[in-house]
Amino acid sequence: MSPLRRADDDDDNAEAPSPAPARASCEVGVRCHRCGDRFANHDALESHHHSRHAVTELVEGDSSRKVVEIICKAGWAKTENALGRIERVVKVHNAERSVARFEEFREAVKGKAARLSKKHPRCLADGNELLRFHATTLACSLGAGDSSTLCTSGSCSVCRIIRHGFSATREIKDGVGVFTTSTSKRALECIAGDGDGDEAANAGVRKALLVCRVVAGRIHRPLENLQEVAAQPGFDSVAGKVGAYASIEELYLLNPRALLPCFVVICKP
């Protein structure tokens, strides 16, 4: 189990309040596993979750925050103050539907790998799950002041992604897939290169990093023309830039369901 998965599980176990006592079997609807409130249907439950339990700020010294900080420091030179760029770190409590969508995609990737004549052990085991960064922007005070609510601003990409998942149109880069990086430094360089920096600052929007679990599946080697991957079925992602020791610095996920955000690292203005 990766440090991220372990921190994720430990944090949920530590923060989730004790479930409410089971009520009479005649009760209808669905119950929130975090507070015990009941709702008429899953749509109402999900709306409640996003307004009451979506995120939790991780204070300095928190074990999960320490793991995230270690992950964020990778790829930065010792002379660069990577942690000095962080204003706040929040943990994402994904709604049940979001987790189910991610797990269903993983099972589909594993099933597809099992039918191949050439076996890929990582794909068979866990869908070739990786830890990746996705840089985007935040337009609210997510997680500040013990707030657990997602905003509804159309300019807040972080809250939209947590609420609805990655978009097959908005997050697609270079006409290929959702762009991710292996390091926080590369992610921030890419969002700056997209020309969002000055415009975002003027609009009161800041940069943020989503630390995501990613089902990479079968990874296609880098292509001179990335769009060519569409003509080569059977792959779940395509490598962009490859670094030292064949490490995949940039990875495009061909299906937005392949990503599940776990933490948000909010950068200082």
Side-chain angles (χ1 to χ4, degrees), residues 12-20 33-36 53:
D12 270 337
N13 292 337
E15 294 181 3
S18 301
H33 75 281
R34 300 191 69 83
C35 66
H53 310 298

Side-chain angles (χ1 to χ4, degrees), residues 109-129 216-220 234-236:
V109 169
K110 290 168 61 177
K112 186 168 58 175
R115 294 189 293 271
L116 295 173
S117 57
K118 182 180 180 180
K119 303 303 180 185
H120 299 263
R122 282 292 308 277
C123 289
L124 290 170
D126 62 2
N128 194 12
E129 183 175 325
R218 289 186 67 200
I219 304 175
H220 196 289
F235 292 92
D236 305 292

Side-chain angles (χ1 to χ4, degrees), residues 70-77 80 182-186 189:
I70 291 171
I71 295 169
C72 286
K73 284 195 299 184
W76 292 82
E80 297 176 295
S182 59
T183 66
S184 61
K185 181 176 183 178
R186 181 59 183 150
E189 289 173 348

Side-chain angles (χ1 to χ4, degrees), residues 7 14 21 25 39 42 47 76 84 99 110 137 143 146 153 187 194 197 199 219 226 255 260:
S25 58
F39 300 89
H42 286 283
S47 178
W76 292 82
V99 177
K110 290 168 61 177
T137 52
D146 294 327
S153 170
D194 287 340
E199 181 181 349
I219 304 175
L226 289 170
N255 192 318
L260 185 72

Side-chain angles (χ1 to χ4, degrees), residues 39-113:
F39 300 89
N41 52 51
H42 286 283
D43 288 339
L45 172 61
E46 189 167 280
S47 178
H48 161 79
H49 178 86
H50 289 151
S51 65
R52 294 284 301 278
H53 310 298
V55 298
T56 300
E57 181 178 5
L58 301 180
V59 299
E60 291 189 25
D62 181 277
S63 59
S64 293
R65 173 161 177 154
K66 289 179 180 178
V67 172
V68 175
E69 289 176 345
I70 291 171
I71 295 169
C72 286
K73 284 195 299 184
W76 292 82
K78 292 183 178 180
T79 55
E80 297 176 295
N81 183 17
L83 298 185
R85 293 169 168 79
I86 297 176
E87 177 177 300
R88 190 162 64 255
V89 178
V90 301
K91 174 180 169 54
V92 179
H93 304 291
N94 286 290
E96 292 181 6
R97 284 181 179 176
S98 300
V99 177
R101 184 167 57 236
F102 176 78
E103 296 293 350
E104 287 169 4
F105 180 77
R106 182 216 300 282
E107 291 306 310
V109 169
K110 290 168 61 177
K112 186 168 58 175

Side-chain angles (χ1 to χ4, degrees), residues 118-186:
K118 182 180 180 180
K119 303 303 180 185
H120 299 263
R122 282 292 308 277
C123 289
L124 290 170
D126 62 2
N128 194 12
E129 183 175 325
L130 304 174
L131 173 64
R132 309 291 296 182
F133 291 95
H134 176 80
T136 186
T137 52
L138 179 78
C140 69
S141 56
L142 182 70
D146 294 327
S147 173
S148 299
T149 303
L150 300 181
C151 78
T152 57
S153 170
S155 61
C156 188
S157 296
V158 169
C159 287
R160 174 179 52 78
I161 290 171
I162 296 174
R163 187 185 299 273
H164 301 296
F166 285 84
S167 168
T169 53
R170 296 193 182 188
E171 273 72 59
I172 297 301
K173 183 178 175 67
D174 299 325
V176 180
V178 181
F179 180 77
T180 66
T181 64
S182 59
T183 66
S184 61
K185 181 176 183 178
R186 181 59 183 150

Side-chain angles (χ1 to χ4, degrees), residues 4 130-134 166 180 210-214 259-263:
L4 178 66
L130 304 174
L131 173 64
R132 309 291 296 182
F133 291 95
H134 176 80
F166 285 84
T180 66
L210 292 175
V211 185
C212 301
R213 292 170 57 191
V214 166
L259 302 96
L260 185 72
C262 296
F263 298 94

